[in-house]
């Protein structure tokens, strides 16, 4: 199988069939053992499914890392209203490209996970909210859903079990903020895609005002394996608090960028050197963003002692996020990279909260000015103060995400900012 | 009580019902937490982030507008953290705000000015070029200055939630967000849209009618009652140079909440009408003579003593309860007689869907209910004309109060033995009266109206009366006093006390009880026509 790059350090559970188009076909999927987990789930019952997922310690792969089984257990056990499962397939975090691959290569794995999760939370309807730009992935997925319906794996009386679960593939219009779970619900309902104030939480008042659970594509794709093999089996990989395998999306200045499925807790240095074939052109490492553009960046020294699990990354001052590892070599212009990220957030801010709406755009302008050599040292203080006032002050954490790389880059790469400021002073543009 | 909780806000203990927000609890200890998006009459999106307060033990500052108070909570609205967050939010607002206060209608009553002066930084630090939206006509009475907008979405929510006619929305996102209409379909044709001008905390939404007309600090505010229909919305008259410049709703949850209709708001020019009757005019063989009150009333008392025949009177539903009761007392003292009034009526009610006890009522005058309670009889058509054939043909005394007789000719009541007209303006049918006595409008006197549901509500004088014009209750009271040898009422509350003594429906009420909120009469008779 020639999926762009593979490594023998990988543990390919979810990504086993990446690169194999046959896996998209329902008959192949079933031949290879597909939909047996669903059958088992129906046999052991809802509570046993939730317990098994709790045992596995599977944590949400959408960024926050909240234990999936625990989240499911928040849903009412005796439904008085319709429940909904929402599969978050809006993957738009810069540096992240794992959900798309899971949808493209193994759509039935995801569908099976969705059906099991829906069953566990007593939902009779699941929505898959797909990022608007995912044309191919959405087509593959929609075809797979159609096939599943045709063969009785979705819809009414699934596999003769008496369980009804409908699946709707919903295509977004291409907004990062619709990946935030409550923004997703608004968008799904046909409203403006903007996050809602919590509380109430989705398990109480979610999509269409009904109890809902939102899970990421990767989270749900892991579920069939956990049900088939048991929660303990999943714990053979990873750490005590971060069990299992995880897809790492590596981009940037390495020789072999790509998706790699590795046990959690994998050392970052080995990921770069071993799995990804080292730095491109033998350049030195300057910085890594370990979890997608929303998290603080790490300098080379911190990278050297960073293990890639939720706690390990936190220990060096950043977050695992959705494990999108962006590697930057010595030639990288940090200020420009940070500006580009902040500009993304300014573009994607839904605009409700004043600190985010105004702060992201203002930050972009200040960073641009610094880049052009028209910055001052006071600008750095202003940026830091702005960041403080943008962190923890808004409805969702997009605002925090914009501030994180600014703060960490000024802390860790102040010299680069100062160099730009000084150069500007020398040529007299400031 | 189990449903009461106690918490500490800025060091002060306060007990509030369970479910109270921190914002409301803080109000109870006298702390007004700054806010833009929150409004008592709208939903709470918690998006401006200005009302963040520090709650001990909470990992982040909390929005006071939606966070429910909890027992034993320790809250600070003025801690270093809370102040720092507010300073931040205020500075963020100024990044793109044009600060064109010198030409902004909101200046002087602008919440951005207020908050920044109070708690903001001395200087905003942004050196970047500002975003420019320019100006847009939203239709109706509303102009939109996009650059001043603080994106609180109050205007959008008012149209969606209260008027329930979706005409505005937020388009785009991030700092490109801007309030807009749906293509060319603006606010035209909606009936409550000027409330968004009141709701707008800054000068982003302004009234075309008021545009550049006066500065906020030059305006005097007088509590009053809207005279344009029988709902009786509580309002303020904003005046300058002895002219009403605009009307604004005054909060009263039992009548109009925070709102008033556009019809009432913009129907005030007549109050400022320049050509007023300014002196008593008395007709005798030598023609019409202007004279002082003493002289005119002495002559009138004499004539009333002389003439034979019964009295017929025409009153106006624009007159106060005191005026109408004084007219009735005069008619009684002259031996009694029929008093009629005419009411201009609209085809339909215009209900405010989100606050359905408020409507622009069909009766387009403030005191039809008062007239009914005092025993006056409604005549004429829905256009407020006609119905005066009996009066016009009357051979005895004809007294008109407040009705301008616009549909009548110079020969109105030409066969009457004596015609007395108390009014604000002249006209063909007025000019031929024997006595034309200048009276004040509701804006120039103190008094009460009774609204459609029997709520008696006070209004206060906002303008100086022109020339010798006096309140009708005073003029009529003097005539009664002269005729019966009683005291003339000196003040409006005395006139009201006489009304109360004479009419059961009003018994027990006094100006003090009525206050600024109104009080309901203890009898209800169906309002004619409704
Ligand atoms: C601004 C923003 C964007 C987000 N985008 C995504 C996304 O594209 N995909 C995703 O799965 N989660 C995204 N999340 C996280 C979701 O809100 C939510 O936590 C997640 O989908 C829950 O699934 P999980 O528990 O399986 O991780 C985003 C969060 C924020 C604040
Ligand atoms: S933080 Fe930004 S993106 Fe999130 S709700 Fe507020 S304005 Fe919208
Ligand atoms: S909205 Fe307020 S701060 Fe802005 S220009 Fe008008 S008065 Fe000044
Ligand atoms: S126009 Fe005024 S009311 Fe509307 S969102 Fe802007 S500031 Fe708020």
């Amino acid at each position: 199988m020639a999926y762009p790059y593979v490594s023998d350090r990988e543990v390919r559970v979810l990504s086993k069939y990446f690169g194999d188009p046959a896996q998209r076909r329902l008959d192949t999927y079933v031949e290879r053992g597909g939909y047996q987990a669903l059958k088992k789930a129906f046999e052991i019952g809802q509570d046993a499914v939730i317990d098994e997922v709790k045992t596995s310690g599977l944590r949400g792969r959408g960024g926050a890392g909240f234990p999936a089984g625990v989240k499911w257990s928040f849903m009412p056990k005796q439904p008085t209203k319709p429940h909904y499962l929402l599969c978050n397939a809006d993957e738009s975090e810069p540096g992240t490209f794992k959900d798309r691959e899971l949808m493209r290569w193994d759509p039935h794995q995801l569908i099976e996970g969705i059906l099991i999760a829906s069953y566990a939370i007593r939902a009779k309807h699941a929505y898959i909210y797909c990022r608007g730009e995912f044309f191919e992935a959405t087509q593959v997925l929609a075809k797979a859903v159609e096939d599943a319906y045709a063969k009785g794996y979705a819809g009414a009386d699934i596999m003769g079990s008496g369980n009804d679960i409908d699946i709707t593939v919903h295509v977004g219009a291409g907004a990062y903020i619709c990946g935030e779970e409550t923004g997703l619900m608004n968008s799904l309902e046909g409203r403006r895609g903007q996050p809602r104030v919590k509380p109430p939480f989705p398990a109480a008042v979610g999509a269409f005002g009904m109890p809902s659970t939102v899970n990421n594509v990767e989270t749900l794709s892991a579920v069939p394996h956990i049900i088939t093999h048991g929660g303990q089996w999943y714990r053979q990989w990873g750490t005590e608090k971060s069990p299992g395998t995880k897809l790492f999306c590596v981009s940037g200045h390495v020789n072999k960028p790509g998706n790699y499925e590795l046990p959690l807790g994998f050392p970052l240095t080995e990921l770069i050197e071993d799995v990804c074939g080292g730095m491109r052109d033998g350049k030195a490492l300057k910085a890594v963003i370990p979890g997608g553009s929303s998290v603080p960046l790490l300098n080379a020294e911190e990278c050297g002692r960073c293990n890639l699990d939720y706690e390990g990354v936190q220990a060096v001052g950043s977050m695992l996020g959705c494990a999108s590892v962006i590697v930057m070599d010595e030639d990288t212009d940090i200020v420009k990279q940070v500006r580009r990220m902040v500009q993304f957030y300014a573009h994607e801010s839904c605009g409700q909260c004043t600190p985010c709406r105004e702060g992201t755009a203002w930050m972009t302008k200040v960073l641009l000015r610094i880049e052009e050599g028209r910055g001052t040292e006071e600008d750095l203080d202003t940026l830091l103060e702005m960041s403080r006032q943008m962190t923890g002050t808004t409805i969702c954490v997009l605002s925090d995400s914009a501030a994180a790389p600014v703060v960490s880059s000024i802390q860790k790469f102040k010299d680069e900012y100062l160099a730009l400021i000084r150069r500007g002073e020398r040529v007299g543009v400031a | 009580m189990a449903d009461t909780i106690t918490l500490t806000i800025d060091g002060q203990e306060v007990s509030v019902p369970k479910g109270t927000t921190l914002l409301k609890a803080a109000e109870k200890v006298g702390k007004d937490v700054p806010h833009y998006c929150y409004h008592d009459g709208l939903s709470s999106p918690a998006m401006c982030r200005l009302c963040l307060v520090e709650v001990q033990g909470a990992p982040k500052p909390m929005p006071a507008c939606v966070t429910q108070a909890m027992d034993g909570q320790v809250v600070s609205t003025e801690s270093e953290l809370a102040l720092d967050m507010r300073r931040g939010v205020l500075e963020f607002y100024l990044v793109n705000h044009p600060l064109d206060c010198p030409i902004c209608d909101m200046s002087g009553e602008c919440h951005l000015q207020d908050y920044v002066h109070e708690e903001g930084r001395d200087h905003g630090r942004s050196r970047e070029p500002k975003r420019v939206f320019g100006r847009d006509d939203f239709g109706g009475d509303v102009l939109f200055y996009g650059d001043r907008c603080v994106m609180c979405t109050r205007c959008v929510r008012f149209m969606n939630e209260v008027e329930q006619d979706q005409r505005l929305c937020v388009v785009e996102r991030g700092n490109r967000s801007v309030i807009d209409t749906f293509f060319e379909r603006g606010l035209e044709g909606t009936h409550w849209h000027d409330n968004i001008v009141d709701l707008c905390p800054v000068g982003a939404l302004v009234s075309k009618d008021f545009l550049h007309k006066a500065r906020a600090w030059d305006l005097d505010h007088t509590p009053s009652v809207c005279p344009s229909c029988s709902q009786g919305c509580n309002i303020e008259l904003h005046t300058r140079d002895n002219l009403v410049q605009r009307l604004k709703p005054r909060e009263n949850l039992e009548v109009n909440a925070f709102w008033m209709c556009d019809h009432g708001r913009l129907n005030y020019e007549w109050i400022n009408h320049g050509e007023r009757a300014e002196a008593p005019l008395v007709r005798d063989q030598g023609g019409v003579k202007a004279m002082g009150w003493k002289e005119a009333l002495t002559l009138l008392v004499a004539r009333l003593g002389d003439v034979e025949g019964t009295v017929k009177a025409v009153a106006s539903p624009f007159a106060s309860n005191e005026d109408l009761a004084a007219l009735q007392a005069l008619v009684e003292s002259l031996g009694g007689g029929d008093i009629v009034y005419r009411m201009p009526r609209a085809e339909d009610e215009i209900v405010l869907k989100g606050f359905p006890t408020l409507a622009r009522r069909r009766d387009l005058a403030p005191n039809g209910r008062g007239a009914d309670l005092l025993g006056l009889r409604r005549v004429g058509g829905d256009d407020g004309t006609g119905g005066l054939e009996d009066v016009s043909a009357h051979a005895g005394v004809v007294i008109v109060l407040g009705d301008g007789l616009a549909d009548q000719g110079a020969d109105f009541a030409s066969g009457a033995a004596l015609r007395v007209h108390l009014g604000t303006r002249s006209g063909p049918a007025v000019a031929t009266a024997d006595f034309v006595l200048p009276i004040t409008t509701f804006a120039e006197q103190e008094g009460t109206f009774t609204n459609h549901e029997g709520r008696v509500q006070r209004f206060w004088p906002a303008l100086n009366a022109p020339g010798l014009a006096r309140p009708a209750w005073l003029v009529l009271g003097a005539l009664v006093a002269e005729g019966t040898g009683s005291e003339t009422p000196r003040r409006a509350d005395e006139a009201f006390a006489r009304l109360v003594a004479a009419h059961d429906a009003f018994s027990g009420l006094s100006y003090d009880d009525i206050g600024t909120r109104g009080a309901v009469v203890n009898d209800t008779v169906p309002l004619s026509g409704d």
Side-chain angles (χ1 to χ4, degrees):
Chain A
M1 274 171 286
Y3 188 67
Y5 297 115
V6 290
S7 158
D8 51 15
R9 302 288 305 272
E10 281 187 273
V11 179
R12 298 183 59 164
V13 179
L14 276 57
S15 60
K16 186 167 175 192
Y17 296 105
F18 277 16
D20 177 5
Q23 179 73 0
R24 293 171 181 163
R25 294 210 315 269
L26 178 59
D27 52 359
T28 321
Y29 183 74
V30 173
E31 251 166 54
R32 290 171 176 173
Y35 289 111
Q36 289 309 305
L38 179 61
K39 190 158 176 271
K40 183 175 171 191
F42 288 159
E43 282 160 16
I44 61 175
Q46 282 109 336
D47 296 336
V49 170
I50 295 182
D51 284 343
E52 209 58 67
V53 175
K54 272 189 185 166
T55 306
S56 76
L58 172 67
R59 294 173 65 166
R61 305 303 194 209
F66 194 84
V70 178
K71 192 189 269 189
W72 296 1
S73 67
F74 294 153
M75 294 290 280
K77 293 277 178 299
Q78 306 289 336
T80 55
K81 303 171 180 169
H83 289 187
Y84 294 107
L85 179 84
L86 310 175
C87 170
N88 192 339
D90 192 50
E91 183 172 67
S92 335
E93 174 97 352
T96 313
F97 40 84
K98 61 188 179 61
D99 297 344
R100 182 188 57 193
E101 299 306 286
L102 286 165
M103 291 153 72
R104 285 175 72 206
W105 294 114
D106 212 338
H108 286 287
Q109 170 179 264
L110 173 60
I111 292 168
E112 190 173 4
I114 288 172
L115 291 165
I116 296 171
S118 302
Y119 171 68
I121 63 161
R122 286 122 173 126
K124 293 200 181 312
H125 200 150
Y127 287 91
I128 309 176
Y129 187 98
C130 295
R131 172 172 170 177
E133 293 89 339
F134 281 177
F135 302 112
E136 191 212 2
T138 305
Q139 272 174 2
V140 171
L141 194 61
K143 169 80 168 68
V145 169
E146 224 170 85
D147 294 347
Y149 264 98
K151 288 280 187 290
Y153 292 112
D157 190 22
I158 295 172
M159 295 191 286
S161 66
N163 293 303
D164 311 334
I165 301 168
D166 280 309
I167 300 180
T168 303
V169 177
H170 181 96
V171 186
Y176 172 64
I177 197 57
C178 293
E180 196 281 338
E181 55 187 15
T182 55
L184 184 153
M185 291 171 195
N186 274 341
S187 170
L188 186 66
E189 291 175 20
R191 299 169 200 275
R192 211 177 134 77
Q194 54 187 30
R196 301 175 183 172
V197 179
K198 289 183 265 191
F201 292 94
V205 182
F208 310 104
M210 303 299 160
S212 306
T213 296
V214 185
N215 274 125
N216 171 257
V217 167
E218 188 185 353
T219 317
L220 292 167
S221 295
V223 169
H225 303 281
I226 291 169
I227 296 305
T228 301
H229 303 286
Q232 277 306 332
W233 165 85
Y234 191 66
R235 285 186 167 276
Q236 66 182 293
W237 303 289
T239 68
E240 173 61 29
K241 288 185 172 164
S242 303
T245 63
K246 170 90 191 74
L247 285 167
F248 287 85
C249 315
V250 187
S251 60
H253 307 146
V254 290
N255 280 316
K256 296 194 286 177
N259 269 306
Y260 298 98
E261 186 170 359
L262 298 165
L264 281 160
F266 201 84
L268 175 53
T269 316
E270 288 177 39
L271 173 66
I272 296 171
E273 292 305 325
D274 214 3
V275 178
C276 297
M279 297 295 293
R280 205 177 55 186
D281 304 330
K283 291 273 166 77
L285 176 70
K286 184 187 250 180
V288 167
I289 299 173
S293 59
S294 308
V295 308
L297 40 76
L298 303 174
N299 60 25
E301 184 270 326
E302 290 160 336
C303 291
R305 49 192 173 86
C306 176
N307 284 344
L308 294 168
D309 54 275
Y310 294 96
E311 292 68 33
V313 184
Q314 218 171 350
V316 293
S318 187
M319 288 181 288
L320 184 66
C322 33
S324 316
V325 181
I326 305 171
V327 182
M328 299 183 253
D329 72 14
E330 55 187 312
D331 295 339
T332 309
D333 179 342
I334 291 286
V335 178
K336 180 174 172 187
Q337 293 313 316
V338 169
R339 187 265 300 163
R340 190 60 198 84
M341 281 190 279
V342 176
Q343 197 164 26
F344 169 80
Y345 289 111
H347 187 260
E348 298 298 327
S349 160
C350 81
Q352 292 184 89
C353 315
T354 312
C356 176
R357 179 183 65 245
E358 302 295 339
T360 52
W362 184 15
M363 269 181 168
T364 308
K365 288 180 182 171
V366 174
L367 288 166
L368 262 175
R369 192 157 47 71
I370 294 175
E371 236 181 297
E372 289 163 1
R374 295 186 295 118
T376 64
E377 270 195 75
E378 290 82 70
D379 286 332
L380 301 185
D381 297 334
T382 307
L383 285 172
L384 287 175
E385 190 173 328
M386 247 193 257
S387 302
R388 186 179 75 233
Q389 288 159 340
M390 287 168 65
T391 304
T393 56
T394 50
I395 292 175
C396 85
V397 293
L398 184 142
S399 184
D400 307 50
S401 303
V406 173
V407 175
S408 57
S409 65
I410 294 180
Q411 279 165 354
K412 295 170 190 176
F413 300 95
K414 193 166 182 180
D415 286 353
E416 301 212 7
Y417 284 93
L418 290 177
L420 285 168
I421 290 167
R422 294 284 121 75
R423 197 182 63 203
E425 282 170 0
R426 273 201 306 281
V427 297
V429 282
Chain B
M1 246 200 325
D3 288 347
T4 301
I5 52 164
T6 303
L7 67 160
T8 309
I9 301 179
D10 294 337
Q12 298 184 59
E13 256 196 17
V14 58
S15 294
V16 293
K18 218 171 150 180
T20 306
T21 61
L22 292 179
L23 191 93
K24 290 283 142 192
E27 265 176 25
K28 262 194 108 174
V29 300
K31 300 288 172 135
D32 181 15
V33 183
H35 56 270
Y36 284 136
C37 68
Y38 177 81
H39 185 277
D40 282 342
L42 303 171
S43 62
S44 311
M47 58 189 271
C48 73
R49 313 311 282 180
L50 198 49
C51 71
L52 294 175
V53 296
E54 185 170 358
V55 177
Q56 227 173 60
K60 297 174 176 186
M62 306 294 280
C65 63
V66 291
T67 307
Q68 295 194 354
M70 305 229 276
D71 206 33
Q73 216 167 28
V74 179
V75 178
S76 174
T77 72
E78 285 167 349
S79 66
E80 203 23 67
L81 175 73
L83 289 175
D84 181 51
M85 291 306 143
R86 286 214 288 276
R87 239 187 337 264
V89 175
L90 289 171
E91 187 177 17
F92 287 132
Y93 279 124
L94 297 185
V95 170
N96 279 307
H97 194 89
L99 284 173
D100 53 347
C101 311
I103 54 153
C104 177
D105 270 347
M106 196 66 176
S107 191
E109 50 190 7
C110 168
H111 294 274
L112 187 58
Q113 280 183 336
D114 292 352
Y115 292 153
V116 172
H117 276 296
E118 239 161 78
E119 300 191 331
R121 299 172 58 92
D122 293 345
H123 297 278
R125 285 168 299 181
S126 172
R127 304 201 277 138
E128 320 310 324
K130 296 191 180 197
R131 174 207 60 198
V132 176
F133 286 132
R135 198 173 85 162
D136 198 359
D137 184 346
F138 272 5
D141 185 44
V142 180
L143 278 183
F144 175 60
Y145 286 78
D147 302 314
R148 296 177 189 153
C149 173
V150 293
M151 203 34 76
C152 67
T153 71
R154 280 184 181 187
C155 52
V156 178
R157 283 176 287 134
F158 176 85
M159 293 307 295
N160 291 355
E161 298 167 11
V162 187
E163 177 141 22
Q164 297 180 10
D165 187 350
Q166 191 162 19
R167 299 294 182 113
L168 299 176
C169 64
V170 181
V171 297
E172 261 293 353
R173 64 177 185 232
N175 89 327
R176 289 130 17 249
S177 301
V178 63
I179 307 297
D180 207 349
T181 56
F182 294 96
F183 303 101
E184 294 311 308
R185 182 168 173 268
L187 296 166
E188 206 63 63
T190 59
H191 302 286
W192 304 86
H193 63 246
D194 252 337
N195 290 296
I196 67 176
V197 173
D198 304 336
L199 284 171
C200 186
V202 290
L205 296 172
V206 299
S207 158
K208 292 177 194 170
D209 178 73
F210 185 71
L211 191 69
H212 302 326
K213 212 156 92 173
R215 307 289 359 207
W217 51 86
D218 287 333
L219 294 172
D220 292 317
H221 301 183
T222 308
S224 190
V225 175
C226 176
S228 292
C229 90
S230 60
Q231 174 77 29
C233 284
N234 290 207
I235 61 165
E236 279 181 354
L237 303 178
H238 288 190
T239 54
R240 195 197 63 185
D241 300 338
N242 209 37
L243 294 171
V244 176
Q245 305 289 341
R246 66 177 176 190
L247 308 187
K248 285 277 185 185
R250 176 164 60 90
E251 180 184 336
N252 187 339
L253 291 179
E254 301 195 64
V255 181
N256 56 307
F258 319 90
W259 325 119
M260 74 184 295
C261 79
D262 301 334
H263 160 79
R265 187 191 299 259
L266 297 174
N267 180 28
Y268 64 85
E269 264 310 318
W270 63 271
I271 307 171
N272 295 333
H273 198 296
E275 282 172 38
R276 288 281 295 271
E278 296 201 355
L281 299 175
V282 181
R283 174 181 304 278
D284 63 10
Q285 289 81 352
V288 177
K289 256 200 344 230
M291 56 182 73
W293 278 107
K294 196 166 175 136
E295 204 180 339
L297 292 185
T298 309
L299 282 172
L300 179 52
V301 169
R303 288 288 302 280
L304 285 170
D306 288 349
V307 291
E308 297 285 309
T310 56
V311 184
K312 278 192 189 297
V314 180
S316 160
F318 288 89
S320 72
N321 291 317
E322 292 78 357
D323 296 345
L324 295 175
L327 172 66
Q328 204 178 40
L330 177 65
V331 172
E332 291 293 317
S333 75
L334 296 172
D338 198 20
I339 309 179
V340 298
Y341 74 95
R342 308 189 291 177
M343 175 67 84
R345 278 169 64 79
E347 296 236 317
D348 296 304
E349 279 192 348
I350 303 171
V351 179
L352 183 56
K353 291 202 184 104
F355 189 76
T357 52
L358 170 57
R360 206 296 315 282
R361 303 284 160 190
R362 291 193 59 197
D363 280 359
L364 299 179
N367 208 22
R369 174 67 110 190
D372 294 341
L373 287 172
L374 295 170
L376 278 59
R377 190 163 59 81
R378 183 178 291 199
V379 297
D382 278 357
D383 57 357
T385 67
L388 298 185
E389 297 75 12
D390 274 4
V391 183
S392 194
H394 188 55
V397 179
V398 170
I399 305 176
V400 176
L401 164 62
D403 189 319
L405 302 176
D407 59 324
Q408 304 294 318
D411 58 348
F412 173 74
S414 49
L418 174 63
R419 264 186 72 202
V420 183
H421 188 96
L422 296 94
T424 56
R425 290 176 233 294
S426 193
V430 173
T432 52
D434 298 304
F435 287 81
V436 177
L437 305 177
I439 57 169
T440 51
T441 66
F442 82 107
E444 297 152 0
Q445 72 180 67
E446 194 175 352
T448 59
F449 292 136
T450 309
N451 85 347
H452 72 109
E453 52 167 7
R455 173 179 292 270
V456 183
Q457 307 193 98
R458 290 175 65 182
F459 52 82
W460 282 261
L463 301 173
N464 298 323
L468 297 182
R470 292 293 178 268
W473 57 263
L474 183 61
V475 177
L476 295 162
L479 290 171
V480 174
E482 205 58 48
T484 59
S486 61
E487 285 276 304
T488 305
R490 302 276 148 194
R491 298 193 315 256
D493 59 338
E494 289 172 23
F496 186 73
R498 290 191 186 201
L499 176 171
V500 170
H503 297 276
D504 284 348
F506 293 84
S507 73
L509 295 182
S510 75
Y511 266 23
D512 281 350
D513 302 332
I514 299 168
T516 53
R517 309 265 115 185
V520 180
V521 295
N522 45 43
D523 189 7
T524 44
V525 293
L527 183 59
S528 12
D530 268 334

